Amino acid sequence: MSDKDFLDERRAALEDEFFHRENEKKLAKLKEQLTASETKEELRKASGMTDEAVLDRLVALGLRGPTVAALSLVPLVAVAWADGELQDKEREQILHAAEAKGMGAGTAGHELLTSWLQKKPDDSLVDAWEGYMKALLAQLNDEQVRILKNQIIGFAKVIAESAGGFLGFGKVAGSEEKVLARVEAAFKK
């Protein structure tokens, strides 16, 4: 075998390896895009949401169709963590609300919620919830908005009051009031 044949063979092998690696990268990226697209479609169906930016944020947060119900509990979690620590009564109330929404132990939504109760989520979670609410409210009539607002704010106030004051009655911390105001502001069209 001549040196030229050896070099040609080696060059061809290196090109094959390069293109093989590039194809693997492209396939992995395509698979990731397909998974994100499927997740986005799943969220669209589960939530009725059509706003692409909100759906993208939900996908980026790792939410899936079965876990989107957990989003309705974000205000409760935010209020509970407002003072920097989660009280046992707050945890119990939130888990009770989750159970009422069909997110019992073993469900994907419950697992997600549990992670939020173990470690305080950062503000991007509340930002995503606000975006979700804005898109959702655009699809509801005034009466539906009023009912949803009363339900979410009512539950959030129960959480705020559950750990405050004497024996859990009568006092809402200033930090919790700020979160409650932010939640209420999310319902303005």
Side-chain angles (χ1 to χ4, degrees):
M1 178 189 279
S2 73
D3 285 343
K4 182 176 178 347
D5 290 338
F6 176 76
L7 288 175
D8 284 344
E9 189 177 293
R10 188 70 194 129
R11 179 190 48 75
L14 287 172
E15 284 176 354
D16 287 346
E17 179 63 24
F18 171 78
F19 287 115
H20 175 72
R21 284 186 187 160
E22 286 300 306
N23 284 338
E24 282 183 343
K25 287 178 188 175
K26 287 177 183 174
L27 283 172
K29 187 173 182 175
L30 181 60
K31 194 176 203 179
E32 185 178 306
Q33 287 172 339
L34 284 173
T35 300
S37 177
E38 290 168 355
T39 300
K40 196 170 169 179
E41 189 56 34
E42 183 181 85
L43 284 168
R44 184 185 325 276
K45 288 177 183 173
S47 68
M49 195 66 49
T50 57
D51 186 303
E52 294 296 315
V54 173
L55 289 168
D56 288 338
R57 268 192 262 160
L58 298 177
V59 169
L61 282 170
L63 294 176
R64 299 188 56 89
T67 58
V68 78
L71 269 182
S72 64
L73 300 175
V74 168
L76 311 185
V77 172
V79 167
W81 280 108
D83 62 358
E85 110 181 46
L86 186 73
Q87 305 296 322
D88 289 339
K89 284 202 169 264
E90 292 169 325
R91 178 185 276 86
E92 289 170 20
Q93 292 286 341
I94 292 170
L95 290 173
H96 179 71
E99 191 77 34
K101 289 186 170 288
M103 290 189 302
T107 64
H110 189 272
E111 290 177 27
L112 182 61
L113 177 62
T114 300
S115 72
W116 295 340
L117 296 177
Q118 290 173 350
K119 181 178 182 256
K120 181 181 179 183
D122 63 39
D123 278 347
S124 67
L125 181 64
V126 177
D127 294 341
W129 175 81
E130 288 171 328
Y132 170 77
M133 290 308 298
K134 181 179 179 183
L136 179 62
L137 295 177
Q139 299 173 15
L140 301 177
N141 65 39
D142 290 342
E143 179 63 12
Q144 292 167 325
V145 170
R146 186 188 64 74
I147 291 168
L148 184 62
K149 176 182 176 182
N150 289 342
Q151 180 187 31
I152 291 175
I153 292 175
F155 279 139
K157 285 181 178 177
V158 167
I159 299 302
E161 293 168 354
S162 69
F166 180 68
L167 298 176
F169 295 104
K171 183 161 172 60
V172 175
S175 56
E176 292 168 335
E177 286 287 350
K178 286 179 186 174
V179 174
L180 286 170
R182 183 175 179 184
V183 169
E184 193 157 352
F187 286 94
K188 292 186 170 75
K189 285 188 172 184

